Amino acid sequence: MASKVVTETCLEDYRYSFRSDILSGKVAFITGGGSGICFTIAEVFMRHGCRTVIVGRNMEKLKKSSETLTKATGVKCFPAQADVRKPLEVIAAVEKCLQEFGRLDIVVNGAAGNFLCPLEDMSFNAFKTIQEIDILGTYNVSKVAFDKYLKDHGGVIIHITALLHLRGTLLQAHVGVAKAGIETLSKHQAVEWGPKGVRVMCVAPGPVEATEGYNRLTMGVSADQIRQIIPIGQIGTRQEMGEICLFLATDMAGQLTGSTIYADGGIWMANGNEREQMQSYKQWRSKL
Ligand code: COA
């Protein structure tokens, strides 16, 4: 079933940290770009001169989002419908990108599925569906982009992963397995495609405000409670994720390939009780 149409909005009062023409002349192919983090990645790229193709299953949503993005940035954005699980649809979308813009420099694999489910309640098909969207989808898009353009021109591929597999995150086995697979894939791609001038990186966001994933996965826990378990005390923003991807897409990140940026304020290393434990420790110390 296709996802429902949401109305996305662009960032207000965007302040440039990078040169505004740093991606000028480039083209990015962004799956999942119709909404959420990947919508903002598209926006940040476009604000830096990059034309984009946003890809997803729901053409109505993609059209609305591409219009919003172009209106805010003045840069061309082209919607392309494809289910990343279906190689023929991915091939058609990449071919459309090449027809429209004549090049393809950056791929962002952001299309993903998620829901909370304990292993004991998960159906065979539920587990398989997430592997197909996340791992196979990422593989399909990377392979088609590489075969059709990147192998002859170089470029950058960014996979959006997660923190779930770094610990055995409750209710997230299906996604954790998929994201671990994608991070492993990125290493193989980096080694095999590096000689062709292709860098492959993963970005693993922690909690990012104003996203479907945040609403879906935080289960009603308040923002204040979440901040308590993030070492830097701040929830991530979509703009921050966009700017990390922007950096990775530029020559400034020329030495980066085959690794993952954990963009999470340090949350994966914390177990949620660190602040309480630190408080107890301080109390104990003060009594010595
Ligand atoms: N709990 C348990 N199983 C679930 C589930 C949930 N909340 N949601 C879906 N599934 C199961 C379905 O029951 C089905 O298994 P079954 O055939 O054994 O019943 C299987 O997963 C496939 O689901 P379906 O919705 O038919 O597949 P789809 O390809 O149309 O969509 C998703 C898959 C993951 C995209 C869809 O579930 C979805 O829209 N999720 C929310 C959007 C999303 O994931 N956004 C990213 C936020 S981080």
Side-chain angles (χ1 to χ4, degrees):
M1 190 175 56
S3 49
K4 71 176 188 290
V5 177
V6 291
T7 304
E8 285 286 344
T9 51
C10 288
L11 302 164
E12 287 173 13
D13 302 327
Y14 186 81
R15 285 205 204 152
Y16 284 85
S17 302
F18 295 83
R19 247 185 27 226
S20 63
D21 65 348
I22 200 158
L23 293 185
S24 179
K26 306 265 186 194
V27 172
F29 186 90
I30 304 175
T31 72
S35 61
I37 292 175
C38 290
F39 174 91
T40 305
I41 294 171
E43 177 186 345
V44 170
F45 282 12
M46 291 167 74
R47 288 187 184 278
H48 293 81
C50 184
R51 290 163 292 165
T52 58
V53 177
I54 55 171
V55 184
R57 288 193 290 171
N58 185 329
M59 194 54 167
E60 193 192 340
K61 169 170 144 182
L62 292 169
K63 273 188 183 154
K64 259 175 113 171
S65 294
S66 67
E67 282 162 17
T68 306
L69 286 165
T70 295
K71 203 169 156 201
T73 63
V75 174
K76 196 154 186 201
C77 174
F78 182 81
Q81 188 170 20
D83 183 330
V84 294
R85 293 171 282 194
K86 299 180 178 160
L88 292 180
E89 293 188 12
V90 174
I91 290 170
V94 170
E95 282 175 350
K96 261 189 188 174
C97 168
L98 294 173
Q99 271 162 22
E100 187 75 9
F101 295 132
R103 60 187 297 154
L104 169 49
D105 306 280
I106 306 155
V107 175
V108 178
N109 279 304
N114 200 356
F115 45 79
L116 294 168
C117 189
L119 274 166
E120 66 179 295
D121 292 343
M122 194 149 9
S123 72
F124 294 111
N125 192 36
F127 190 84
K128 177 168 160 260
T129 298
I130 298 304
Q131 310 317 309
E132 286 178 342
I133 299 172
D134 289 27
I135 302 191
L136 282 181
T138 296
Y139 173 79
N140 293 340
V141 172
S142 307
K143 175 171 172 56
V144 174
F146 181 80
D147 287 350
K148 292 203 170 285
Y149 195 84
L150 299 180
K151 73 175 180 198
D152 296 321
H153 302 86
V156 180
I157 302 176
I158 301 168
H159 306 317
I160 307 301
T161 60
L163 312 166
L164 309 164
H165 55 295
L166 301 179
R167 293 173 169 221
T169 307
L170 218 59
L171 313 174
Q172 291 280 270
H174 46 322
V175 187
V177 168
K179 298 300 192 186
I182 294 169
E183 290 187 1
T184 302
L185 175 66
S186 75
K187 290 180 168 50
H188 292 279
Q189 291 173 326
V191 169
E192 292 200 21
W193 295 351
K196 301 277 186 185
V198 178
R199 292 189 293 107
V200 187
M201 286 294 291
C202 297
V203 174
V208 176
E209 64 191 15
T211 60
E212 188 188 337
Y214 181 92
N215 298 337
R216 188 179 286 273
L217 305 179
T218 49
M219 297 185 285
V221 175
S222 75
D224 274 347
Q225 286 171 291
I226 291 171
R227 281 188 205 98
Q228 285 296 314
I229 57 166
I230 301 176
I232 65 160
Q234 285 171 37
I235 295 169
T237 66
R238 287 162 53 152
Q239 181 171 338
E240 287 173 322
M241 302 306 129
E243 285 171 348
I244 289 165
C245 292
L246 173 65
F247 163 69
L248 291 177
T250 69
D251 292 343
M252 284 183 283
Q255 279 298 313
L256 295 180
T257 194
S259 59
T260 301
I261 294 193
Y262 297 109
D264 70 333
I267 194 173
W268 87 263
M269 295 175 288
N271 71 15
N273 293 322
E274 270 83 357
R275 287 190 182 200
E276 278 174 42
Q277 283 169 0
M278 186 61 78
Q279 210 51 39
S280 310
Y281 171 72
K282 280 180 183 165
Q283 281 168 6
W284 173 72
R285 282 292 300 241
S286 68
K287 287 181 195 152
L288 289 179

